[in-house]
Amino acid sequence: MMNGIRNGPLGKFFASDKMISGEYGCGSNWGHGYCDQGNELIDDVVNIIRREVEFCDNLQGFQISHSIIGGTGSGFGSLLMNKLREDYPDRLIMTFSCFTSSEIDECVIEPYNIVLGLHHLIENVDMTCCFHNELLYKICSQTQSSPTFNHLNNSISKVMSGLTTCFRFSDQINNDMRKFTINMIPFPCLHFLCPSFAPFYSSNNLLTVHELTKQIFDERNLIFPCNIQQGQSFGMTTIFRGEISMKELDYLSSETMKISLSTIPLKEFQLSSTLIRNHTGIQDIFKSFLQKFSTMFRRKLYIFGLTRSGLDEMEFTEAENNLQELINEYENIIST
């Protein structure tokens, strides 16, 4: 993968001495990424980050893009988050985390990888924007007969570009990571956000603001499972891009939703919008992950594959309890 990036069209955007890769993969094993193979690389990664930080005049925080499914993204990603939190305790950590389907596992220890990864997302991260492989595939299938990883990654990049618009361009409401976090996250542990985007596909017809707003609130444009018809929303931001006046958006403003506007459009759309929700409905998929994890862990199924890399069983218990406490927090908000 790294060689593909180096030799591909994106290679020119990255300095070769800033790209680090191991000799072997982690084999979809969280323990390999967090313990043995991860420890071989983490010092080099942290040193490069430290050198880059020294060039920053005003470091707001860090953004990490990773998968929560396998060994590298989930295991090594967790190790990296721990190191960043330890070295930069007063800086924000934001992740773009891709989850798998709650119904189908790509490997037998996937429930372990997900819950162990979630444990460190809860403990060390200030804001997590969640993506879902299955929903991304369904969205891409509307225009592609056989969507590839490139199609899915392109959809993710649109959301990432939309969400970070207010950090990169002038904005009165969410002009930095900390302000955005304050507006979206009332309780530190409840920082898992559900994104939507519109339009996903270019059209010859220019959308009106009303049509764009209708699409962005359509549940079919959700990129992470969330039952928005039940539960409670306690943070919502809609980021518009393109030639729009704030007067056209006044009717959307409310106490629970913030509106941001950038007149700089995405390359392929004259008008676009990104909606970020903090909603209690996200707990349903977390319950599914926890149920599968607990079923396997009670029977100690496949646990040897992770413990032989140096992982202690206490880490499993802590992860299970931490995710259960997160779910309890969401339920407490619903009941109050």
Side-chain angles (χ1 to χ4, degrees):
M1 178 181 289
M2 295 296 286
N3 287 333
I5 295 175
R6 288 188 182 99
N7 301 324
L10 298 178
K12 61 183 179 182
F13 295 107
F14 301 96
S16 58
D17 60 336
K18 303 295 192 301
M19 302 178 72
I20 300 176
S21 58
E23 187 175 352
Y24 306 103
C26 295
S28 297
N29 188 314
W30 193 91
H32 289 330
Y34 188 78
C35 299
D36 46 13
Q37 295 187 32
N39 283 323
E40 295 176 6
L41 292 175
I42 191 63
D43 288 340
D44 292 336
V45 173
V46 170
N47 285 335
I48 286 180
I49 292 173
R50 186 176 295 113
R51 290 200 296 269
E52 292 298 306
V53 167
E54 290 173 356
F55 289 107
C56 293
D57 295 326
N58 181 20
L59 177 67
Q60 295 183 31
F62 303 91
Q63 293 179 351
I64 300 173
S65 301
H66 69 130
S67 166
I68 202 72
I69 304 166
T72 304
S74 188
F76 184 75
S78 297
L79 180 61
L80 178 59
M81 294 169 204
N82 289 352
K83 290 293 185 180
L84 291 177
R85 180 56 70 206
E86 180 181 325
D87 293 345
Y88 308 95
D90 59 340
R91 301 300 162 184
L92 296 175
I93 300 177
M94 176 182 180
T95 70
F96 297 93
S97 306
C98 193
F99 292 78
T100 185
S101 169
S102 59
E103 303 297 329
I104 303 171
D105 296 330
E106 296 182 8
C107 69
V108 292
I109 61 171
E110 191 172 282
Y112 289 146
N113 294 339
I114 292 174
V115 174
L116 288 167
L118 275 169
H119 171 49
H120 289 270
L121 285 175
I122 295 169
E123 290 294 314
N124 297 310
V125 173
D126 299 288
M127 180 165 56
T128 296
C129 184
C130 302
F131 299 93
H132 192 261
N133 276 347
E134 186 177 345
L135 291 185
L136 284 167
Y137 189 88
K138 288 180 179 179
I139 290 171
C140 293
S141 296
Q142 295 176 19
T143 58
Q144 305 292 331
S145 57
S146 299
T148 65
F149 283 118
N150 285 337
H151 295 120
L152 271 64
N153 288 336
N154 182 257
S155 298
I156 292 174
S157 70
K158 292 174 184 175
V159 177
M160 292 176 64
S161 177
L163 192 152
T164 58
T165 297
C166 42
F167 310 152
R168 295 179 287 117
F169 306 112
S170 177
D171 185 273
Q172 295 180 347
I173 298 177
N174 297 307
N175 54 10
D176 59 42
M177 289 176 64
R178 190 168 298 279
K179 196 168 184 181
F180 185 87
T181 304
I182 291 172
N183 286 334
M184 287 297 300
I185 301 167
F187 308 103
C189 64
L190 307 183
H191 58 253
F192 295 89
L193 311 179
C194 300
S196 301
F197 183 85
F200 268 108
Y201 311 106
S202 57
S203 172
N204 294 328
N205 298 321
L206 180 64
L207 290 174
T208 65
V209 174
H210 179 74
E211 291 170 336
L212 189 63
T213 304
K214 185 177 180 181
Q215 283 192 29
I216 200 65
F217 283 97
D218 192 328
E219 291 188 36
R220 291 174 295 183
N221 280 30
L222 275 172
I223 314 176
F224 195 78
C226 180
N227 187 356
I228 59 177
Q229 301 302 327
Q230 297 183 0
Q232 181 179 342
S233 175
F234 42 85
M236 193 182 306
T237 294
T238 307
I239 304 159
F240 289 89
R241 297 185 67 174
E243 292 297 330
I244 307 173
S245 68
M246 281 303 294
K247 290 183 179 180
E248 296 180 87
L249 305 176
D250 284 344
Y251 73 99
L252 289 173
S253 297
S254 66
E255 292 183 2
T256 58
M257 185 168 72
K258 305 296 182 182
I259 303 295
S260 292
L261 173 62
S262 172
T263 56
I264 302 174
L266 271 172
K267 183 178 180 180
E268 52 189 307
F269 304 114
Q270 294 186 48
L271 295 179
S272 63
S273 179
T274 307
L275 172 63
I276 308 296
R277 284 187 178 93
N278 195 343
H279 198 282
T280 58
I282 200 173
Q283 68 168 314
D284 291 341
I285 194 169
F286 290 160
K287 287 179 180 178
S288 175
F289 291 146
L290 181 61
Q291 182 180 10
K292 295 171 77 171
F293 174 94
S294 300
T295 300
M296 293 177 61
F297 184 55
R298 278 198 302 268
R299 302 176 183 179
K300 300 296 188 289
L301 294 177
Y302 308 109
I303 198 172
F304 176 71
L306 288 96
T307 55
R308 68 181 178 183
S309 62
L311 198 62
D312 192 277
E313 284 193 28
M314 184 59 66
E315 183 84 19
F316 290 81
T317 303
E318 291 177 358
E320 184 178 31
N321 292 339
N322 209 6
L323 184 54
Q324 183 61 63
E325 290 176 3
L326 175 68
I327 294 170
N328 292 342
E329 287 287 340
Y330 281 115
E331 292 180 340
N332 289 338
I333 289 177
I334 296 174
S335 60
T336 56

